[in-house]
Amino acid sequence: MTRRVLFTIVLAAICALAARSTAAQQPSNTPWRFLVSGDSRNCGDVVMPAIADTARKNQVAFYWHLGDLRAIYNFDEDIQHQPEHIKRPLTISDYEDIAWPDFIDSQIASFGSIPFMLGIGNHETVAPEKTRQEYLAQFADWLDTPVLQAQRLRDNPNDHRLKTYFHWVDRGVAFYNLDNATPEQFDPPQLLWLEHVLAADMANQNIKSIVVGMHEALPESIAAVHSMNDYPVGTETGNRVYADLLRAQNEAHKHVYVLASHSHYFMEGIFNSQYWKQHGGVLPGWIVGTAGAVRYALPEPHTDAKAAMTNVYGSLLATVSPDGEIRFEFQKLEETNIPAPVMAKYGKDFVHWCFVENTQAK
């Protein structure tokens, strides 16, 4: 291959990437969709293939997982009930070795060619079994895709380090996946990164919407128990991020939406709390920790939430309008939605157990 031919190929690739980047920055003229949920431990190998069917049915642009992939601190019941492990029960060390590969094989793979955006949860940092560095190594293929790498370098041409938090833009919507999986987060580097990139998006007239996803909900929500309120740094830095997002909504006039999981139920309107009504204003917010984890009781009181359900599995379907406004609808799953191959693998009794017994909210 001559140098001229090689140069032509490289130039064509760069131009194609630039064209895709420009298109991503421009708002879409037609509605489009994406899908979100989190917490797929315990029964995720049963539930996530059904969520993948929801993704295909709605022709989503991507699926976004908000963290807690596998239990790690104890066995996931779905792995225990795989036929080979019923015949030969796992040791805890065996389980720890296969837990993340199982997530890839049993959950990510069910989405096929649908892009899979991957957030980190507290169960990905269960010490000493798992660390952020091990997480980055295991899931680098999903954390350093061409789209994410190109956006990282667009945000900062000198930023060559893979991180558990990231940003991307799709058809005029700026997405942020944040890392609040451990008590010292948000740490100063992540905050500085977020506020630098957010300022650029706020100034960009082509960015119509900002969607921020994370594992634990920002502080002072209706679901404040089991959120960033659980530790001092989380409360302080989470409130700072909330204030930043309020400015994006109120001063830059962007549509702003905040998504979380961690609590294993569905709730809409999580920031419709007395605190935020009195301290700056309410942002649209959701908890959707409904991808297979043991279900939790709803917090009390929760009457100010727009909607709240527990003992459900499902995902949050987002429809993006040309003006950047996003409509979110919960897609509830029933036992009958579990794909036939999954039902054949695990058997009706275990699938029924996942729907009836995998709960702390009885």
PDB file of all heavy atoms in Angstrom, residues 292-308:
ATOM      1  N   GLY A 292     -33.740  -6.623  37.875  1.00  0.00           N
ATOM      2  CA  GLY A 292     -33.543  -7.976  38.367  1.00  0.00           C
ATOM      3  C   GLY A 292     -33.163  -8.094  39.826  1.00  0.00           C
ATOM      4  O   GLY A 292     -33.224  -9.176  40.407  1.00  0.00           O
ATOM      5  N   ALA A 293     -32.753  -6.993  40.452  1.00  0.00           N
ATOM      6  CA  ALA A 293     -32.311  -7.049  41.847  1.00  0.00           C
ATOM      7  C   ALA A 293     -33.485  -7.274  42.792  1.00  0.00           C
ATOM      8  O   ALA A 293     -34.640  -6.957  42.469  1.00  0.00           O
ATOM      9  CB  ALA A 293     -31.580  -5.763  42.220  1.00  0.00           C
ATOM     10  N   VAL A 294     -33.176  -7.778  43.981  1.00  0.00           N
ATOM     11  CA  VAL A 294     -34.203  -7.991  45.004  1.00  0.00           C
ATOM     12  C   VAL A 294     -34.933  -6.671  45.251  1.00  0.00           C
ATOM     13  O   VAL A 294     -34.318  -5.625  45.468  1.00  0.00           O
ATOM     14  CB  VAL A 294     -33.577  -8.542  46.300  1.00  0.00           C
ATOM     15  CG1 VAL A 294     -32.458  -7.648  46.827  1.00  0.00           C
ATOM     16  CG2 VAL A 294     -34.636  -8.760  47.356  1.00  0.00           C
ATOM     17  N   ARG A 295     -36.257  -6.700  45.186  1.00  0.00           N
ATOM     18  CA  ARG A 295     -37.044  -5.472  45.257  1.00  0.00           C
ATOM     19  C   ARG A 295     -37.139  -4.934  46.684  1.00  0.00           C
ATOM     20  O   ARG A 295     -37.236  -5.713  47.633  1.00  0.00           O
ATOM     21  CB  ARG A 295     -38.459  -5.718  44.684  1.00  0.00           C
ATOM     22  CG  ARG A 295     -38.527  -5.643  43.166  1.00  0.00           C
ATOM     23  CD  ARG A 295     -38.003  -6.872  42.457  1.00  0.00           C
ATOM     24  NE  ARG A 295     -38.681  -8.085  42.860  1.00  0.00           N
ATOM     25  CZ  ARG A 295     -39.795  -8.570  42.283  1.00  0.00           C
ATOM     26  NH1 ARG A 295     -40.339  -7.917  41.278  1.00  0.00           N
ATOM     27  NH2 ARG A 295     -40.327  -9.715  42.691  1.00  0.00           N
ATOM     28  N   TYR A 296     -37.122  -3.591  46.811  1.00  0.00           N
ATOM     29  CA  TYR A 296     -37.164  -2.924  48.108  1.00  0.00           C
ATOM     30  C   TYR A 296     -38.536  -2.291  48.340  1.00  0.00           C
ATOM     31  O   TYR A 296     -39.263  -1.955  47.392  1.00  0.00           O
ATOM     32  CB  TYR A 296     -36.122  -1.805  48.186  1.00  0.00           C
ATOM     33  CG  TYR A 296     -34.678  -2.241  48.171  1.00  0.00           C
ATOM     34  CD1 TYR A 296     -33.676  -1.310  47.915  1.00  0.00           C
ATOM     35  CD2 TYR A 296     -34.303  -3.562  48.412  1.00  0.00           C
ATOM     36  CE1 TYR A 296     -32.329  -1.687  47.910  1.00  0.00           C
ATOM     37  CE2 TYR A 296     -32.971  -3.938  48.406  1.00  0.00           C
ATOM     38  CZ  TYR A 296     -31.987  -3.004  48.147  1.00  0.00           C
ATOM     39  OH  TYR A 296     -30.661  -3.370  48.137  1.00  0.00           O
ATOM     40  N   ALA A 297     -38.845  -2.079  49.611  1.00  0.00           N
ATOM     41  CA  ALA A 297     -40.052  -1.323  49.959  1.00  0.00           C
ATOM     42  C   ALA A 297     -39.881   0.131  49.542  1.00  0.00           C
ATOM     43  O   ALA A 297     -38.770   0.681  49.561  1.00  0.00           O
ATOM     44  CB  ALA A 297     -40.310  -1.416  51.458  1.00  0.00           C
ATOM     45  N   LEU A 298     -40.969   0.768  49.188  1.00  0.00           N
ATOM     46  CA  LEU A 298     -40.935   2.189  48.849  1.00  0.00           C
ATOM     47  C   LEU A 298     -40.684   3.020  50.100  1.00  0.00           C
ATOM     48  O   LEU A 298     -41.105   2.643  51.202  1.00  0.00           O
ATOM     49  CB  LEU A 298     -42.256   2.607  48.216  1.00  0.00           C
ATOM     50  CG  LEU A 298     -42.555   2.022  46.836  1.00  0.00           C
ATOM     51  CD1 LEU A 298     -44.016   2.277  46.461  1.00  0.00           C
ATOM     52  CD2 LEU A 298     -41.622   2.603  45.782  1.00  0.00           C
ATOM     53  N   PRO A 299     -39.996   4.152  49.988  1.00  0.00           N
ATOM     54  CA  PRO A 299     -39.769   5.016  51.151  1.00  0.00           C
ATOM     55  C   PRO A 299     -41.085   5.638  51.606  1.00  0.00           C
ATOM     56  O   PRO A 299     -42.005   5.844  50.816  1.00  0.00           O
ATOM     57  CB  PRO A 299     -38.801   6.073  50.614  1.00  0.00           C
ATOM     58  CG  PRO A 299     -39.101   6.144  49.149  1.00  0.00           C
ATOM     59  CD  PRO A 299     -39.446   4.735  48.738  1.00  0.00           C
ATOM     60  N   GLU A 300     -41.140   5.942  52.871  1.00  0.00           N
ATOM     61  CA  GLU A 300     -42.322   6.614  53.427  1.00  0.00           C
ATOM     62  C   GLU A 300     -41.909   7.943  54.033  1.00  0.00           C
ATOM     63  O   GLU A 300     -40.928   8.001  54.772  1.00  0.00           O
ATOM     64  CB  GLU A 300     -42.984   5.734  54.484  1.00  0.00           C
ATOM     65  CG  GLU A 300     -43.581   4.455  53.939  1.00  0.00           C
ATOM     66  CD  GLU A 300     -44.746   4.679  52.978  1.00  0.00           C
ATOM     67  OE1 GLU A 300     -45.267   5.827  52.933  1.00  0.00           O
ATOM     68  OE2 GLU A 300     -45.112   3.734  52.276  1.00  0.00           O
ATOM     69  N   PRO A 301     -42.640   9.018  53.709  1.00  0.00           N
ATOM     70  CA  PRO A 301     -43.747   9.039  52.752  1.00  0.00           C
ATOM     71  C   PRO A 301     -43.235   9.186  51.321  1.00  0.00           C
ATOM     72  O   PRO A 301     -42.126   9.664  51.105  1.00  0.00           O
ATOM     73  CB  PRO A 301     -44.529  10.285  53.167  1.00  0.00           C
ATOM     74  CG  PRO A 301     -43.461  11.211  53.686  1.00  0.00           C
ATOM     75  CD  PRO A 301     -42.433  10.338  54.354  1.00  0.00           C
ATOM     76  N   HIS A 302     -44.059   8.817  50.347  1.00  0.00           N
ATOM     77  CA  HIS A 302     -43.701   9.031  48.945  1.00  0.00           C
ATOM     78  C   HIS A 302     -44.887   9.593  48.170  1.00  0.00           C
ATOM     79  O   HIS A 302     -44.941   9.511  46.943  1.00  0.00           O
ATOM     80  CB  HIS A 302     -43.225   7.727  48.298  1.00  0.00           C
ATOM     81  CG  HIS A 302     -44.240   6.619  48.319  1.00  0.00           C
ATOM     82  ND1 HIS A 302     -44.282   5.681  49.324  1.00  0.00           N
ATOM     83  CD2 HIS A 302     -45.251   6.309  47.469  1.00  0.00           C
ATOM     84  CE1 HIS A 302     -45.267   4.835  49.087  1.00  0.00           C
ATOM     85  NE2 HIS A 302     -45.875   5.198  47.961  1.00  0.00           N
ATOM     86  N   THR A 303     -45.822  10.201  48.873  1.00  0.00           N
ATOM     87  CA  THR A 303     -47.042  10.691  48.228  1.00  0.00           C
ATOM     88  C   THR A 303     -46.766  11.836  47.255  1.00  0.00           C
ATOM     89  O   THR A 303     -47.586  12.096  46.363  1.00  0.00           O
ATOM     90  CB  THR A 303     -48.058  11.148  49.281  1.00  0.00           C
ATOM     91  OG1 THR A 303     -47.419  12.069  50.182  1.00  0.00           O
ATOM     92  CG2 THR A 303     -48.583   9.967  50.084  1.00  0.00           C
ATOM     93  N   ASP A 304     -45.637  12.545  47.395  1.00  0.00           N
ATOM     94  CA  ASP A 304     -45.332  13.646  46.479  1.00  0.00           C
ATOM     95  C   ASP A 304     -44.711  13.168  45.169  1.00  0.00           C
ATOM     96  O   ASP A 304     -44.541  13.963  44.240  1.00  0.00           O
ATOM     97  CB  ASP A 304     -44.382  14.649  47.144  1.00  0.00           C
ATOM     98  CG  ASP A 304     -45.086  15.496  48.194  1.00  0.00           C
ATOM     99  OD1 ASP A 304     -46.330  15.605  48.126  1.00  0.00           O
ATOM    100  OD2 ASP A 304     -44.401  16.031  49.078  1.00  0.00           O
ATOM    101  N   ALA A 305     -44.369  11.893  45.088  1.00  0.00           N
ATOM    102  CA  ALA A 305     -43.859  11.354  43.823  1.00  0.00           C
ATOM    103  C   ALA A 305     -44.983  11.311  42.791  1.00  0.00           C
ATOM    104  O   ALA A 305     -46.153  11.110  43.125  1.00  0.00           O
ATOM    105  CB  ALA A 305     -43.293   9.961  44.030  1.00  0.00           C
ATOM    106  N   LYS A 306     -44.617  11.478  41.536  1.00  0.00           N
ATOM    107  CA  LYS A 306     -45.625  11.410  40.474  1.00  0.00           C
ATOM    108  C   LYS A 306     -46.115   9.977  40.264  1.00  0.00           C
ATOM    109  O   LYS A 306     -47.271   9.751  39.907  1.00  0.00           O
ATOM    110  CB  LYS A 306     -45.053  11.961  39.168  1.00  0.00           C
ATOM    111  CG  LYS A 306     -44.831  13.462  39.183  1.00  0.00           C
ATOM    112  CD  LYS A 306     -44.396  13.955  37.818  1.00  0.00           C
ATOM    113  CE  LYS A 306     -44.250  15.470  37.804  1.00  0.00           C
ATOM    114  NZ  LYS A 306     -43.841  15.967  36.468  1.00  0.00           N
ATOM    115  N   ALA A 307     -45.204   9.019  40.455  1.00  0.00           N
ATOM    116  CA  ALA A 307     -45.560   7.600  40.342  1.00  0.00           C
ATOM    117  C   ALA A 307     -44.544   6.807  41.132  1.00  0.00           C
ATOM    118  O   ALA A 307     -43.376   7.201  41.229  1.00  0.00           O
ATOM    119  CB  ALA A 307     -45.567   7.153  38.879  1.00  0.00           C
ATOM    120  N   ALA A 308     -44.974   5.685  41.709  1.00  0.00           N
ATOM    121  CA  ALA A 308     -44.061   4.840  42.484  1.00  0.00           C
ATOM    122  C   ALA A 308     -44.606   3.418  42.490  1.00  0.00           C
ATOM    123  O   ALA A 308     -45.796   3.203  42.743  1.00  0.00           O
ATOM    124  CB  ALA A 308     -43.917   5.363  43.908  1.00  0.00           C
TER     125      ALA A 308
END
